[in-house]
Amino acid sequence: MITAERKPLEEILALIEPYDRILLVGCNECVTVCAAGGRKEVALLSSALQMARMKEGKTLDTVETTLERQCDPEYVEELVASIDRADAVLSMACGCGVQEVAKRFKEKPVFPAVNTKFMGASERQGVWAERCQGCGDCLLGLTGGICPIARCSKRLLNGPCGGSSNGKCEINPDVDCAWQLIWDRLKALGLESRYEDIAPPKDWRTSRDGGPRRIIREDLAS
Amino acid sequence: MKEFEPVIVAFCCHYCAYTAADMAGTMRLSYPPNVKIIKVPCTGKVGGVHIMRALEKGADGVIVAGCLEGDCHFKDGNVKAAKRVSYVQKLLDEIGMGPERVEMVTLSAGMGERFARIAAEFTESVRALGPNPVKEAPAGRARAAAASS
C-alpha cells in the first residue's frame, strides 16, 4: 500500500486559514489501511479542526466525505454533489488523490492533510515499513524476495557493505541489513550459488531517472 | 456569578464501570451529578471520534472507564481504549486544548467507592481547568445548545 501520515495540525490549520467552508475528503484505499486518511481519520480531523477554530471564536463548516478511491476520476466525480458547499478542499488521500481532485476542480484550492511516505507493508498492527521503491525493473526474483533497492540503505546490488554488523545496518541497530536477509533466504532455499552472480549496474531509466512515468495498456486504453 | 458546573461525559464499560456506578448508588454513595454516563459494551468500542465529538458538542471533560488490566471481557479492549485516549490527548494538545480534559481510568464492577471517588476528583479537576474553551465560543454555544436539546 501507499503509506501516509497526517500532517501536524498547526500546518493544516495554516493551510486552510483563509477558508470557512472545507470539504474534507478521505480515501477508502491505502490511507484507510494505514490509518492516515480513511473515514475515521476524516471524522477525527474534522472535529479537531472545528474545535481549533471555535476556540479562537471563529467557525469552520466541514463537509466530510470518503471516496472509494481518490486516485480514480470516476470516484472523484462524486464530489460534484458537495463541492459547492466548500471554499476549499482538504484531502486526506495520498499525493495521487490530492492531484486528481485538484485536476477535476480547477476553481477550488486543494490542500493535502497528510504527508505521503512510501510503498510499504504492515509489519504488525500500527507499524508499516518500506518495501518497494517502484524502480520499474523488479529484481526480487534474484534476491530471494527481499528488495535491496527499498531495504538496503545504500541500495546496493552486490551487498552487503562493511556497515553490516550482526545482521543489522550501520544506520540504525533496528534496521535489518537487507543483504543479510537476502543471504539467509537464499541459503534457506538452497540457492547460495545465486549470491555469487555479480549484478551489473542497474538501468535507472525505468525508475524516476527517466522522468515521470506512465503505463499504457493498448487493449484497455480509451 | 454562578459557579461553573462542568459537564462530564463518562463512557462506562457495561462489565465494570457501569456496574460500579450502580454499586455506588446501591451503597448510597453520592457522586457529582455532573457526570453523565454512557454505557458501552466495552471501552474498546469507544473511538477517538466519540471523545472528540463529546468535547466538540460542549462536554468539559470526558472519562473513559474500563476494566482493570487483564480483566477485559473482550481480551484487551481496555488496553486499546487507553491507547486511543492517549492519542486523543495528544490531538487535543496539538490544538491547544491541553490533554487534561480526557482521562482513562480502570476499575472493577465491585469498586463502587472508587467510581464515586473518580467521579468527584475528575469533576473537581475539570472545574479547576474551567469551561471547555470550545463551548465558550459563540459557535460552540450554539452547538452545545443543540446537543443538549
Side-chain angles (χ1 to χ4, degrees), chain A residues 9 47 50 54-55 64, chain B residues 53 56 94-95 137 139 143:
Chain A
L9 274 173
S47 191
Q50 290 185 65
M54 283 196 277
K55 210 165 65 60
E64 299 168 27
Chain B
R53 293 279 196 240
E56 189 188 321
E94 266 195 274
I95 59 169
R143 259 177 221 224

Side-chain angles (χ1 to χ4, degrees), chain A:
Chain A
M1 85 196 81
I2 295 174
T3 60
E5 265 184 326
R6 179 175 56 76
K7 282 178 175 288
L9 274 173
E10 200 181 353
E11 186 181 342
I12 299 173
L13 283 164
L15 288 171
I16 62 165
E17 209 275 325
Y19 309 100
D20 294 330
R21 301 183 310 157
I22 294 291
L23 177 59
L24 186 50
V25 193
C27 177
N28 255 345
E29 295 279 351
C30 314
V31 287
T32 292
V33 184
C34 69
R39 203 178 303 272
K40 278 185 184 175
E41 290 74 31
V42 164
L44 266 179
L45 181 62
S46 166
S47 191
L49 293 177
Q50 290 185 65
M51 282 204 269
R53 276 287 181 91
M54 283 196 277
K55 210 165 65 60
E56 306 299 324
K58 300 176 198 159
T59 57
L60 180 72
D61 286 335
T62 57
V63 178
E64 299 168 27
T65 185
T66 300
L67 302 179
E68 195 55 39
R69 199 157 51 239
Q70 223 179 107
C71 55
D72 242 334
E74 64 196 84
Y75 293 110
V76 173
E77 200 61 28
E78 291 170 12
L79 296 178
V80 167
S82 43
I83 194 81
D84 287 338
R85 291 158 62 195
D87 305 318
V89 181
L90 189 57
S91 166
M92 296 198 84
C94 70
C96 310
V98 179
Q99 291 182 64
E100 278 306 305
V101 175
K103 186 179 83 183
R104 174 60 184 84
F105 301 103
K106 294 190 169 60
E107 72 288 1
K108 298 281 179 191
V110 180
F111 302 107
V114 303
N115 289 323
T116 307
K117 305 294 260 194
F118 50 78
M119 282 187 273
S122 308
E123 279 194 342
R124 58 179 197 274
Q125 174 90 10
V127 179
W128 298 273
E130 186 159 21
R131 290 286 181 267
C132 177
Q133 289 202 343
C135 72
D137 184 15
C138 189
L139 39 80
L140 283 168
L142 304 174
T143 55
I146 291 143
C147 180
I149 308 297
R151 300 179 67 177
C152 168
S153 303
K154 291 178 175 170
R155 304 203 289 184
L156 289 181
L157 290 176
N158 298 288
C161 69
S164 175
S165 167
N166 298 319
K168 299 293 176 187
C169 176
E170 65 184 337
I171 65 152
N172 185 333
D174 294 331
V175 174
D176 289 324
C177 167
W179 275 99
Q180 180 72 53
L181 296 176
I182 292 169
W183 168 249
D184 292 344
R185 178 91 173 120
L186 289 177
K187 208 160 68 169
L189 292 169
L191 296 170
E192 293 100 318
S193 60
R194 192 167 284 173
Y195 181 73
E196 300 296 327
D197 298 339
I198 303 295
K202 189 169 167 66
D203 181 352
W204 289 101
R205 283 175 300 179
T206 57
S207 183
R208 274 286 302 155
D209 301 41
R213 296 168 283 178
R214 70 202 309 217
I215 297 170
I216 301 173
R217 271 277 301 268
E218 296 292 354
D219 57 326
L220 295 173
S222 54

Side-chain angles (χ1 to χ4, degrees), chain B residues 3-50:
Chain B
E3 197 190 358
F4 159 57
E5 282 301 336
V7 175
I8 311 289
V9 171
F11 292 101
C12 293
C13 163
H14 162 78
Y15 292 96
C16 55
Y18 189 81
T19 313
D22 206 18
M23 170 81 80
T26 313
M27 291 166 77
R28 300 283 185 265
L29 295 170
S30 69
Y31 61 86
N34 310 55
V35 179
K36 322 286 182 201
I37 294 177
I38 297 177
K39 182 161 92 165
V40 290
C42 171
T43 48
K45 189 70 197 83
V46 181
V49 73
H50 298 120

